[in-house]
């Protein structure tokens, strides 16, 4: 495990990390649901998918988050240089389009892209004190359990407002067609 993984990244992040996997995250989630059902509690599972997450990372926000993680001075300037002044163009049948500036995003397929994205969303788990988070890169699973269904509904909706504020502050959005929720409940209820 690298220094980055052991000191900076949230333990609930299972994506792009050695020793972490979707299988491990799925087992933890399944166990949580099963224990709630056995305890005769209601659980709400919310399954979020960030829309074009890697492409919408705001460079200034990312640089501020890198600085907060301790990457200051020359190291932060190196990342600024890496992220900014990038261009892209299309080449088709010996024709090249005009280059366009890439104003945001991290490079997918690069070694740094996933790491930078994980740092970008690392504070996501801080936006709610009641949800249990299980993250896998741009997919996030949130869980909340309670004995009273109306109480669960009120708290989930209140906390989803906090999630929405975090998303807006970080210039991210949800892919609504891939975002779902499920209420898990004991059989006799």
């Amino acid at each position: 495990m690298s220094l980055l993984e052991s000191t900076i990244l949230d333990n609930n992040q299972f994506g792009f990390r050695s020793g972490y996997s979707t299988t491990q995250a799925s087992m933890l989630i399944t166990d949580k649901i099963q224990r709630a059902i056995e305890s005769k509690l209601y659980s709400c599972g919310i399954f979020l998918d960030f829309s074009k997450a890697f492409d919408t990372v705001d460079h200034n926000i990312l640089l501020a988050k890198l600085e907060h993680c301790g990457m200051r001075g020359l190291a932060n300037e190196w990342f600024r240089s890496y992220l900014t002044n990038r261009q892209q163009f299309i080449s088709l049948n010996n024709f090249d389009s005009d280059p366009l500036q890439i104003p945001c995003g991290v490079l997918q397929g690069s070694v740094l892209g996933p790491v930078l994205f994980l740092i970008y969303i690392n504070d996501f788990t801080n936006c709610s004190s009641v949800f249990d988070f299980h993250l896998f890169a741009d997919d996030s699973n949130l869980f909340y359990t309670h004995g009273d269904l109306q109480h669960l509904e009120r708290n989930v909706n209140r906390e989803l407002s906090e999630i929405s504020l975090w998303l807006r502050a970080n210039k991210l959005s949800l892919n609504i067609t891939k975002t779902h929720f499920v209420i898990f409940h004991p059989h006799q209820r």
Side-chain angles (χ1 to χ4, degrees):
M1 183 180 304
S2 73
L3 181 62
L4 172 71
E5 290 176 323
S6 64
T7 61
I8 294 175
L9 294 181
D10 191 289
N11 286 331
N12 294 312
Q13 177 58 257
F14 292 84
F16 303 111
R17 298 180 68 186
S18 60
Y20 289 76
S21 68
T22 54
T23 302
Q24 186 181 18
S26 296
M27 288 173 49
L28 287 169
I29 292 166
T30 302
D31 183 59
K32 184 167 199 54
I33 294 166
Q34 184 176 353
R35 281 191 282 142
I37 289 172
E38 288 170 358
S39 299
K40 298 181 175 32
L41 299 172
Y42 292 97
S43 290
C44 183
I46 302 168
F47 307 94
L48 308 175
D49 182 82
F50 296 131
S51 182
K52 300 181 189 248
F54 283 72
D55 297 332
T56 57
V57 168
D58 182 276
H59 294 159
N60 291 324
I61 294 172
L62 176 57
L63 290 166
K65 290 182 181 203
L66 286 166
E67 186 171 329
H68 179 76
C69 291
M71 295 179 203
R72 298 178 180 92
L74 188 58
N76 197 277
E77 287 304 313
W78 184 87
F79 279 106
R80 180 179 305 282
S81 173
Y82 175 77
L83 292 167
T84 57
N85 297 321
R86 289 190 173 272
Q87 297 181 339
Q88 65 184 11
F89 68 95
I90 296 172
S91 183
L92 180 65
N93 296 331
N94 294 328
F95 174 78
D96 294 342
S97 69
D98 292 332
L100 292 174
Q101 201 73 3
I102 302 173
C104 58
V106 292
L107 292 174
Q108 294 184 54
S110 68
V111 173
L112 280 178
V115 173
L116 291 173
F117 180 75
L118 294 185
I119 291 171
Y120 192 76
I121 65 162
N122 195 51
D123 62 339
F124 182 48
T125 59
N126 298 335
C127 70
S128 172
S129 61
V130 302
F131 281 133
D132 181 25
F133 289 81
H134 298 274
L135 312 174
F136 195 86
D138 61 341
D139 293 311
S140 300
N141 302 312
L142 289 56
F143 290 92
Y144 180 67
T145 301
H146 200 275
D148 180 69
L149 185 58
Q150 284 74 32
H151 180 90
L152 179 134
E153 182 181 346
R154 277 191 309 275
N155 279 354
V156 164
N157 284 324
R158 184 190 68 238
E159 292 301 306
L160 285 174
S161 294
E162 297 299 317
I163 299 293
S164 179
L165 289 173
W166 185 90
L167 289 167
R168 280 183 278 173
N170 288 279
K171 299 182 179 179
L172 293 173
S173 59
L174 294 178
N175 182 337
I176 299 302
T177 61
K178 291 184 177 180
T179 295
H180 304 281
F181 79 95
V182 176
I183 302 291
F184 302 96
H185 57 86
H187 298 292
Q188 62 272 31
R189 290 192 172 185

